[in-house]
């Protein structure tokens, strides 16, 4: 079961319940916007009993729903997130190759992974298109409900996420690029740069 490796360039924003995603047609580099539909994402996030991965900004999850259902390892550096993904397979246990990739980050390479939290997200997406119809970015409107495994505590929030897609122009992630142009409109609509580094951190009450 081989992994798919990729890089995501994205930004996240905190928003209130009444916020409305603004019209982004006319933003520099965006000629039109397509409805990307709504999906229900159901994810279990895991770590060792001692939570060794989270301080390293490494996330392991098993997610059902959406176009990228499967097992994931994600690590972050600024707006850039590295991701490895494996198919769901038939078992609830993580793929052996995933275990091998996190082994060097653990004091005990064979330490079992245990659930941290379950996150259920209703995701509504818009696809931003350039003049040729190429998809340059995706804007996701996420409504999240999380239940922490250890305490049973439930937390809910809403966030917007903007991710560059394959047709994004070269340098779109640089200062003055596409992400900045979209961000200007989102901030004007009431969004704020996310106070949390990842959904799982917020699910656990870590910010």
């Amino acid at each position: 079961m081989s992994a798919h490796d990729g890089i995501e360039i994205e930004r996240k924003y905190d928003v209130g319940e009444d916020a409305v995603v603004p019209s982004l047609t006319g933003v520099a580099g965006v000629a039109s916007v397509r409805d990307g539909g709504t999906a229900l994402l159901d994810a279990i996030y895991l770590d060792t009993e001692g939570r060794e991965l989270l301080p390293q900004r490494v996330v392991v999850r098993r997610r059902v729903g959406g176009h990228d259902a499967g097992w994931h390892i994600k690590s972050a550096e600024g707006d850039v997130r590295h991701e490895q993904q494996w198919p769901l397979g038939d078992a609830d246990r993580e793929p052996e190759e995933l275990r091998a990739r996190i082994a060097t980050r653990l004091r005990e390479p064979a330490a079992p992974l245990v659930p941290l939290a379950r996150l259920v997200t209703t995701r509504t997406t818009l696809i931003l298109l350039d003049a040729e119809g190429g998809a340059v970015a995706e804007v996701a409107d996420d409504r999240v409900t999380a239940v922490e495994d250890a305490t049973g505590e439930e937390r809910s929030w809403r966030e917007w996420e903007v991710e560059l897609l394959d047709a994004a122009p070269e340098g779109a992630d640089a200062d003055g690029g596409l992400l900045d142009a979209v961000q200007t409109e989102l901030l004007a609509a009431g969004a704020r740069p996310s106070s949390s580094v990842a959904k799982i951190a917020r699910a656990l009450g870590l910010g």
Side-chain angles (χ1 to χ4, degrees):
M1 189 184 300
S2 59
H4 168 75
D5 289 32
I7 293 177
E8 300 175 340
I9 300 174
E10 64 185 21
R11 295 182 187 176
K12 296 176 181 288
Y13 303 88
D14 297 332
V15 291
E17 283 301 311
D18 296 329
V20 177
V21 178
S23 171
L24 297 168
T25 303
V27 168
V30 179
S32 61
V33 177
R34 185 181 76 228
D35 184 354
T38 299
L40 184 67
L41 313 177
D42 191 340
I44 302 295
Y45 286 72
L46 305 106
D47 202 339
T48 62
E49 194 71 42
R51 296 190 181 181
E52 296 176 68
L53 296 175
L54 277 180
Q56 301 177 63
R57 299 190 70 184
V58 174
V59 170
V60 175
R61 74 181 179 205
R62 182 184 188 274
R63 189 163 78 184
V64 177
H67 64 85
D68 63 346
W71 290 89
H72 305 91
I73 300 174
K74 302 186 78 169
S75 58
E77 184 177 344
D79 293 337
V80 179
R81 287 168 170 77
H82 299 271
E83 180 179 65
Q84 295 94 47
Q85 178 182 344
W86 293 263
L88 285 171
D90 297 327
D92 290 335
R93 182 172 175 78
E94 65 273 7
E96 290 184 8
E97 188 178 344
L98 183 153
R99 289 287 331 187
R101 294 205 184 191
I102 64 172
T104 58
R105 297 179 177 273
L106 305 178
R107 290 188 295 274
E108 296 292 338
L113 298 180
V114 298
L116 292 176
R118 179 184 180 188
L119 279 70
V120 177
T121 301
T122 300
R123 169 169 290 180
T124 302
T125 58
L126 297 174
I127 309 300
L128 310 187
L129 308 174
D130 62 18
E132 288 71 45
V136 296
E138 177 185 86
V139 179
D141 183 355
D142 287 349
R143 297 176 183 271
V144 186
T145 298
V147 178
E148 186 175 355
D149 194 75
T151 66
E153 185 168 353
E154 181 176 299
R155 298 178 175 91
S156 298
W157 68 92
R158 184 182 178 202
E159 66 182 41
W160 291 343
E161 182 178 293
V162 183
E163 180 182 344
L164 296 183
L165 300 179
D166 290 345
E170 185 176 353
D173 56 322
D175 289 342
L178 179 59
L179 286 178
D180 285 346
V182 172
Q183 176 170 284
T184 296
E185 299 301 316
L186 298 186
L187 296 181
R192 307 173 304 280
S194 179
S195 57
S196 179
V197 296
K199 283 184 172 68
I200 184 58
R202 180 167 291 179
L204 299 174
L206 302 177

